[in-house]
Amino acid sequence: MTTAPLHFAFIAAAARTPDAIALIEPDGGRLTYREFDELTDAVCRWLQRAGVGRGHRVGFCLRKSIDSLAVMYGALKAGAAYVPVDSGAPAARNAYIMANCAVTVAVVEDALAGAVETELVQLGAAPRLLRVHPAAGGEGLRRALRADDTRAAAESAKVAPTENVPDDLAYILYTSGSTGRPKGVMLSHENAVTFVDWCSEAFAPQPTDRFSSHAPFHFDLSILDVHVCFKHGATLVLVSEDAGKDPVRLGKLIAEQKISIWYSAPSILALLAQFGQLPSLDLSALRQVLFAGEVFAVKHLRNLCEQLPGRRFFNLYGPTETNVCTYYEVVPPVPPERTTPYPIGRTCSHLRSRVVDESGHDVERGQEGELCIAGPGVMQGYWNL
């Protein structure tokens, strides 16, 4: 069966439930699926007029917002791959990433654009730059589109999204790189969609769910947050960087926004368990807690499970190159005598695995070795490497 492009599931959800809330920003801005679909169409039209098409890359350097997600989906609709960079990182690093993968367009927060543009010029790169002044509800992006190209922004005809093939790139996520220079992990539509489909199988999301968006968009945890949520017509609640590090604010946010599926690194959940005052909050909507990215210390996991009875807890594991490749459901209670971390579990159903020794031979069950992963979720390679 041919894999449909990543963004087609969102388009289908917008057609099914146009009036459902798609996105909620930290400052209260929100859009329905119809409104967000229309905004991404406007971005797509602007990108197409800027020369963006299938096989191109679109970079963005924006704080987590409706604007950044609209650029993401507008790029996908235009047939391009999106390349998110960290708006809090040095301009030199962000310019290097955009120059390295030769983005055709860079959408940059206005306050950061001057420094990024200067660094791009020094690298000999000259992408089309769109400056966006932040405003709630996607209004900052709308104003930027209108100011740059009135005709493209004013059109209202439905965009016919580009028909990507499974091997076309959907996004490039840059990791720190063992050499100290960022390296771009290339993920195709097939890579992304097979992962999103596995998440649907494993976690059974519902349109009534409200997903947390805790991870920045340049981290691979965001793929589950964003694309699984939109596939099912659920609501994505964006967590600001400041709130994301404050356990008291986070606990209140989970309660007030009625988040039902939470996904973050264990260190954040450990802080929530210790300092989030969870027993005093109404967290009745929360039904699944997913964590990945590091080992969850057992004493903190036990504490969290005791404060959140009746929930399901999943340990997810995998590098950016595969996204999640193994998973394990932690079934409470965590025994008081347990001190060893829980395992990374079994291989996801869309992948295959082996554990091998230094000679490449399979090890005996229970012995140490190197985990090797194959299948449609494995990246296409590193950009230009």
Side-chain angles (χ1 to χ4, degrees):
M1 186 174 71
T2 301
T3 303
L6 176 61
H7 48 293
F8 276 34
F10 160 72
I11 294 170
R16 286 195 311 271
T17 55
D19 297 323
I21 300 297
L23 285 159
I24 298 176
E25 290 180 309
D27 59 6
R30 60 182 60 202
L31 291 183
T32 65
Y33 270 85
R34 178 191 291 109
E35 291 167 335
F36 185 55
D37 192 32
E38 290 170 351
L39 181 56
T40 60
D41 277 354
V43 175
C44 177
R45 283 191 292 270
W46 183 90
L47 290 171
Q48 288 171 334
R49 290 187 190 279
V52 172
R54 183 180 163 205
H56 291 179
R57 275 81 52 207
V58 173
F60 63 89
C61 182
L62 301 165
R63 70 187 70 182
K64 186 185 288 185
S65 61
I66 287 172
D67 290 345
S68 48
L69 284 159
V71 173
M72 185 186 298
Y73 269 82
L76 289 170
K77 284 183 174 183
Y82 68 86
V83 185
V85 300
D86 181 3
S87 61
R93 175 186 170 89
N94 290 338
Y96 171 81
I97 289 172
M98 293 192 202
N100 179 252
C101 67
V103 298
T104 306
V105 164
V107 183
V108 184
E109 187 172 321
D110 189 59
L112 307 173
V116 171
E117 188 171 23
T118 297
E119 296 289 346
L120 284 168
V121 169
Q122 291 179 1
L123 294 168
R128 174 87 174 265
L129 213 65
L130 181 68
R131 295 169 176 251
V132 177
H133 186 76
E139 189 54 35
L141 184 58
R142 289 191 194 92
R143 290 172 185 164
L145 295 174
R146 286 195 296 266
D148 189 89
D149 187 343
T150 304
R151 186 160 66 111
E155 289 175 359
S156 59
K158 192 77 184 75
V159 163
T162 302
E163 290 278 356
N164 292 94
V165 300
D167 283 343
D168 283 349
L169 292 186
Y171 51 89
I172 304 175
L173 301 181
Y174 273 76
T175 66
S176 57
S178 55
T179 64
R181 278 200 155 189
K183 59 180 179 179
V185 180
M186 301 189 297
L187 287 307
S188 69
H189 284 268
E190 181 178 44
N191 296 154
V193 170
T194 54
F195 171 65
V196 169
D197 287 349
W198 173 78
C199 291
S200 299
E201 167 194 309
F203 309 123
Q206 302 297 317
T208 51
D209 275 319
R210 294 166 76 92
F211 282 70
S212 67
S213 173
H214 183 272
F217 296 142
H218 59 281
F219 282 178
D220 59 353
L221 272 68
S222 68
I223 304 305
L224 190 159
D225 300 341
V226 172
H227 301 298
V228 178
C229 176
F230 288 161
K231 173 183 177 178
H232 293 275
T235 299
L236 187 65
V237 180
L238 304 185
V239 181
S240 70
E241 185 176 347
D242 290 343
K245 299 172 184 175
D246 182 336
V248 174
R249 289 174 64 186
L250 268 188
K252 291 178 179 177
L253 182 145
I254 295 170
E256 292 167 0
Q257 293 294 342
K258 296 181 169 34
I259 289 173
S260 57
I261 299 180
W262 176 271
Y263 187 29
S264 73
S267 55
I268 298 301
L269 288 166
L271 285 173
L272 270 170
Q274 294 174 85
F275 308 112
Q277 304 172 9
L278 301 185
S280 67
L281 301 171
D282 178 7
L283 302 177
S284 55
L286 185 64
R287 63 187 188 87
Q288 292 184 12
V289 177
L290 319 177
F291 48 90
E294 59 197 15
V295 174
F296 204 153
V298 172
K299 65 177 183 178
H300 296 311
L301 178 57
R302 181 186 298 113
N303 185 11
L304 184 70
C305 290
E306 288 172 351
Q307 294 184 63
L308 296 174
R311 277 69 171 196
R312 298 182 73 185
F313 297 84
F314 291 90
N315 182 25
L316 309 183
Y317 170 81
T320 303
E321 288 82 349
T322 66
N323 209 302
V324 174
C325 61
T326 72
Y327 71 110
Y328 184 87
E329 182 169 5
V330 176
V331 180
V334 177
E337 67 277 8
R338 185 181 183 111
T339 58
T340 56
Y342 279 89
I344 61 173
R346 65 182 63 206
T347 310
C348 302
S349 60
H350 64 300
L351 299 168
R352 306 186 306 281
S353 65
R354 294 173 60 198
V355 181
V356 302
D357 60 23
E358 292 179 357
S359 302
H361 299 121
D362 292 335
V363 302
E364 295 294 327
R365 184 177 181 85
Q367 298 302 304
E368 289 186 2
E370 182 175 52
L371 177 63
C372 298
I373 298 293
V378 178
M379 66 165 185
Q380 302 296 291
Y382 300 106
W383 183 267
N384 259 349
L385 292 174

